[in-house]
Amino acid sequence: MKQLIESPRFKMNMLLILMTLFCVSLSVFRYYITETKVFFFLNWNLFLAWIPLALSTFLVAFTVRSKVSLSVIIVVWILFFPNSPYILTDLFHLKARNAIPIWYDLIVILSYAWTGLVCGFISLNDIEKRLSEYCQGTMLNAIVISFLFMSSFGVYLGRFLRWNSWDVLHNPFGLFNDIVVRFIYPLEYTKTWGVTILMGVLLNFMYFTFKLVRNNNERIIQPGNVNNL
């Protein structure tokens, strides 16, 4: 138990839980002051952002040997992964309101967006580690990069076309049609690819920065390096 509590993963999960509670408390306080539920939807969005982390944590905690089972879990993970960076686009809802200062609403949205993004990046790092058992180097990086661009495409589908992860089951043909037509006639949907490419580049910069900082910290805290601090 002591080893579990002192593990970096346990500490990170506890920090994420505290961050989530902080987010919820901000929205509850806002409701108490304004008596409006303007940003209550962020709680649902953050819940969805936790799903990919829950799936990747399962893969880390339990050894899934079957390639079929692993593939199914990763496919489901891909469907929910865009929910993590999606909260960044909730900044669209930021505007001056008489009931509460705009700086408070900015902190509310950024708190949810950051928490969701960290959940997503940790989950992607988990998936990357599992995939490293099957491929390495350039191929692994290419897969990770493609996941991030797929995620940005998913964010576009959610923000501008109002599709969500559940529509894969609820309305698969409508979702499939909206996706395919954009690949067949890309020049007619420049907004789609503008959002996808630019946000994909941004997410890649953010993730690989996150990964580099995390890897450097892990090397620093290794017993052999403590004396060099």
Side-chain angles (χ1 to χ4, degrees):
M1 180 62 70
K2 181 179 179 181
Q3 185 177 3
L4 173 64
I5 293 175
E6 293 179 351
S7 67
R9 184 52 180 260
F10 180 83
K11 294 178 180 178
M12 176 57 71
N13 287 344
M14 291 304 300
L15 179 59
L16 283 172
I17 291 173
L18 289 175
M19 291 165 63
T20 300
L21 292 175
F22 174 69
C23 292
V24 173
S25 67
L26 288 176
S27 64
V28 170
F29 179 75
R30 191 187 191 285
Y31 172 71
Y32 174 77
I33 295 296
T34 66
E35 296 184 351
T36 60
K37 299 179 180 179
V38 174
F39 289 132
F40 263 25
F41 68 89
L42 291 172
N43 293 300
W44 174 250
N45 289 351
L46 186 55
F47 167 76
L48 294 176
W50 268 90
I51 293 179
L53 180 59
L55 291 170
S56 67
T57 299
F58 175 83
L59 290 179
V60 170
F62 301 97
T63 304
V64 180
R65 296 297 183 186
S66 171
K67 291 184 179 180
V68 174
S69 298
L70 180 62
S71 299
V72 169
I73 293 174
I74 291 178
V75 168
V76 175
W77 174 85
I78 291 173
L79 293 176
F80 284 95
F81 179 56
N83 291 298
S84 296
Y86 176 84
I87 309 180
L88 288 171
T89 65
D90 284 321
L91 285 166
F92 285 176
H93 298 290
L94 183 65
K95 63 181 181 180
R97 294 177 171 88
N98 293 330
I100 203 162
I102 191 172
W103 59 261
Y104 185 87
D105 285 344
L106 176 63
I107 292 174
V108 171
I109 297 174
L110 288 179
S111 297
Y112 278 91
W114 176 249
T115 304
L117 198 62
V118 173
C119 285
F121 283 170
I122 293 175
S123 73
L124 177 56
N125 196 239
D126 290 339
I127 296 297
E128 184 178 357
K129 288 179 179 178
R130 284 307 311 267
L131 291 178
S132 67
E133 300 172 9
Y134 304 94
C135 59
Q136 296 285 338
T138 303
M139 180 176 293
L140 181 60
N141 285 331
I143 293 174
V144 171
I145 291 170
S146 67
F147 282 162
L148 289 165
F149 276 104
M150 289 168 62
S151 175
S152 66
F153 183 69
V155 170
Y156 170 83
L157 293 176
R159 171 52 61 192
F160 297 100
L161 302 186
R162 308 311 296 166
W163 292 107
N164 60 63
S165 303
W166 310 104
D167 286 321
V168 172
L169 299 176
H170 292 164
N171 188 7
F173 296 107
L175 175 59
F176 180 76
N177 179 70
D178 271 350
I179 293 174
V180 171
V181 72
R182 281 163 172 75
F183 280 92
I184 296 177
Y185 306 105
L187 297 181
E188 295 184 14
Y189 298 95
T190 54
K191 180 180 179 180
T192 300
W193 302 114
V195 172
T196 298
I197 293 172
L198 291 179
M199 189 163 191
V201 171
L202 174 63
L203 290 177
N204 271 278
F205 276 128
M206 294 172 77
Y207 173 70
F208 283 100
T209 300
F210 168 86
K211 181 181 173 183
L212 181 63
V213 171
R214 190 178 187 191
N215 290 343
N216 285 340
N217 287 338
E218 288 178 353
R219 283 195 291 267
I220 289 173
I221 64 175
Q222 288 178 357
N225 296 330
V226 172
N227 294 330
N228 294 328
L229 296 179

